[in-house]
Structures are given as C-alpha cells and as structure tokens.
C-alpha cells in the first residue's frame, strides 16, 4: 500500500451544485484539460512503476483504437508544451519531476501514462454504443480494465445501481453530443479504508464500506473530449486522495462513505 496524498482538494462533488446533481457536467476551461498538482512527483513514480511491473493490468489497446491513441499522444504533447514545467526536445520530454520520458511512437499510451497524472480511456462508437477500446489506467477506483476492455458503456456500468436504462440513454446522447472544441468535466467521490491509488476490482469483488478506522477521501475529476480526426471520445481521470486528518486540518468534513 502506497500513501500519496494532495495537500488541497479543489473539488467537493458531494456539496457543490455544479457537481452534486448527476451528471454534474461543466465546461473545461482553456488550458485546464490536463492538471498538475503537488502530488505530481509521487503519483508519477507510482504510475511508472505500475507500467513497468503490471503493464498488462494497466494498459490495453485494441488495433481499432491505434489511430486514436496516436492522435491522443500528439494532443497531450501539445497540451503539456504550454506547461513551463515540461521541456520537450528531440523526441524526449523532461517532466516537472526531472524524469526523462522517451516519446515512443510504437507505445503511445505508455508514453502518455509516464507523462501526466491523468488516466486515459479511449471510447469509440460501434453500432449504437461507445466501446472501451483502449486505456492506460493506473489508478482504477474499484474496477478492472481487463473486465471492461472492449465492452459497451451499458455493460461497463452494469454493477452501478443508479445506471438505469434511462440514464444509459442520456449518457449515450451525451457522448454523441461531445464537440471537439467543447470538452466537459464532472467529479465524483468515494471513501476508502486505505490510500492506495491502484485499486482494481472485478464486478464480483465488491468494495466494502468502511465504518471504523482511518479513512481516505478519493475524488476523481473526469473530463471528456472528442478527438478531431479519429472521432474517439477520451475519458480522462485525475485522482485526488486526502486523509481524514488532512480534511480536518482544511476544515472539510468527511462525506458519508458513498459516492457516484
């Protein structure tokens, strides 16, 4: 178990009107698709270790998504070029923590996973639904990439009790309506009994609700944007973890142990 926590919590999805009501969508401001916070160095060290030692668990790419993955890497490089913490030169990137990442065209998702804190999920429409066709997912919040890979959204969300048929239709309409020039974001939260960021679980391995003992709040800022060439939708996830003691120091009350 690795404890990596931010010092601040910029989102409180359980109490802010802009995020509290499902689906809680908001426009992504210019330059705020990818975020970098004070946990960057520690989160990135954990991500890179997972990519080195558990790559089959955290990275999947179907051939149909390769074009989208290449396009996504180019977009990420374009985005981080605006961040003065990164230095891009001659096919390599020096990251804000000093780590040097070789830009590897044959491994676009692995390269992305070593550069930014966000997990990235590629969704592509086939027939009437979007499928999960690729991802670099180092920090899953109680779900398994292997189990969801190449599944449609209704099947991906099968264990979520609030994901009704009506909500599924609304979400599909949302994905269909995402515009290239108008990315959007939402946030959710979960309460965990430990701070580990890498929390894969199958649908059969249900996460417990922690009533006693220390608790950590996990907040995900989830952004959705459409790629202009491949038409894929990218679902990116930036994860924040704060301990109950940190929340107390910030004057934030731990929300009930549930989330959406």
């Amino acid at each position: 178990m690795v404890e990596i926590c931010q010092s601040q919590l910029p989102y409180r999805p359980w109490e802010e009107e802009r995020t509290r009501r499902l689906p809680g969508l908001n426009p992504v401001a210019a330059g705020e698709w990818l975020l970098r916070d004070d946990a960057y160095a520690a989160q990135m060290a954990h991500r890179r270790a997972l990519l080195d030692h558990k790559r089959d668990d955290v990275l999947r790419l179907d051939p149909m998504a390769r074009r989208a993955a290449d396009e996504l890497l180019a977009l990420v490089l374009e985005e981080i070029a605006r961040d003065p913490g990164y230095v891009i030169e001659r096919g390599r990137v020096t990251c804000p923590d000093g780590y040097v990442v070789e830009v590897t065209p044959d491994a676009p998702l692995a390269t992305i996973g070593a550069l930014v804190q966000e997990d990235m999920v590629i969704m592509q429409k086939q027939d009437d639904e979007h499928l999960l066709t690729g991802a670099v997912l180092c920090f899953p919040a109680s779900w398994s990439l292997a189990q969801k890979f190449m599944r449609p959204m209704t099947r991906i969300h099968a264990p979520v009790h609030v994901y009704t048929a009506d909500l599924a239709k609304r979400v599909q309409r949302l994905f269909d309506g995402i515009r290239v020039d108008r990315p959007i974001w939402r946030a959710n939260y979960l309460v965990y009994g430990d701070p580990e960021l890498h929390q894969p679980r199958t649908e059969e391995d249900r996460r417990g609700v922690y009533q006693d003992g220390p608790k950590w709040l996990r907040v995900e800022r989830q952004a959705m944007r459409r790629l202009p060439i491949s038409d894929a939708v990218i679902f990116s996830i930036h994860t924040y973890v704060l301990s109950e003691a940190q929340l107390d120091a910030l004057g934030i009350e731990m929300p009930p142990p549930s989330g959406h």
Side-chain angles (χ1 to χ4, degrees), residues 44-110:
M44 295 311 301
H46 197 17
R47 294 178 66 82
R48 293 166 190 148
L50 289 165
L51 284 163
D52 285 343
H53 303 296
K54 293 189 175 182
R55 182 166 297 212
D56 289 345
D57 295 331
V58 302
L59 195 152
R60 295 288 176 100
L61 182 63
D62 186 80
M64 73 178 287
R66 178 55 196 268
R67 184 183 183 192
D70 293 339
E71 186 181 4
L72 177 59
L73 174 57
L75 186 62
V76 167
L77 291 171
E78 179 183 323
E79 192 85 3
I80 65 175
R82 303 186 184 100
D83 183 335
Y86 291 89
V87 178
I88 303 175
E89 55 185 357
R90 298 195 189 112
R92 61 171 51 188
V93 179
T94 302
C95 297
D97 59 350
Y99 188 88
V100 177
V101 176
E102 299 291 337
V103 177
T104 308
D106 289 340
L109 292 186

Side-chain angles (χ1 to χ4, degrees), residues 46-243:
H46 197 17
R47 294 178 66 82
R48 293 166 190 148
L50 289 165
L51 284 163
D52 285 343
H53 303 296
K54 293 189 175 182
R55 182 166 297 212
D56 289 345
D57 295 331
V58 302
L59 195 152
R60 295 288 176 100
L61 182 63
D62 186 80
M64 73 178 287
R66 178 55 196 268
R67 184 183 183 192
D70 293 339
E71 186 181 4
L72 177 59
L73 174 57
L75 186 62
V76 167
L77 291 171
E78 179 183 323
E79 192 85 3
I80 65 175
R82 303 186 184 100
D83 183 335
Y86 291 89
V87 178
I88 303 175
E89 55 185 357
R90 298 195 189 112
R92 61 171 51 188
V93 179
T94 302
C95 297
D97 59 350
Y99 188 88
V100 177
V101 176
E102 299 291 337
V103 177
T104 308
D106 289 340
L109 292 186
T111 302
I112 292 168
L115 289 171
V116 298
Q117 287 175 264
E118 280 78 9
D119 282 320
M120 298 283 182
V121 179
I122 300 172
M123 305 294 295
Q124 293 178 284
K125 193 167 187 182
Q126 191 170 77
D127 299 324
D128 295 329
E129 286 193 271
H130 279 76
L131 308 180
L132 195 166
T133 56
V136 53
L137 183 75
C138 295
F139 302 153
S142 298
W143 59 285
S144 163
L145 177 57
Q147 192 171 46
K148 308 296 187 180
F149 184 58
M150 297 304 292
R151 299 291 183 89
M153 280 199 296
T154 50
R155 181 62 189 84
I156 289 171
H157 292 92
V160 182
H161 71 278
V162 298
Y163 202 81
T164 61
D166 179 64
L167 181 57
K169 291 178 182 177
R170 289 164 54 197
V171 171
Q172 184 56 55
R173 286 198 298 270
L174 164 68
F175 268 63
D176 289 341
I178 293 172
R179 291 173 49 177
V180 169
D181 57 344
R182 292 189 180 179
I184 53 178
W185 69 270
R186 66 179 299 272
N188 71 359
Y189 77 94
L190 293 163
V191 177
Y192 278 77
D194 68 78
E196 174 57 52
L197 283 156
H198 182 64
Q199 296 263 2
R201 285 181 176 83
T202 64
E203 294 175 5
E204 297 75 28
D205 180 19
R206 300 299 295 274
R207 186 178 70 91
V209 177
Y210 306 98
Q211 302 292 347
D212 302 315
K215 297 181 180 67
W216 283 262
L217 178 67
R218 179 178 180 132
V219 172
E220 293 183 339
R221 191 254 201 182
Q222 305 167 343
M224 288 154 279
R225 68 178 305 162
R226 187 177 300 280
L227 299 180
I229 300 172
S230 64
D231 201 43
V233 172
I234 303 302
F235 184 79
S236 63
I237 308 163
H238 190 105
T239 304
Y240 300 85
V241 175
L242 278 83
S243 68

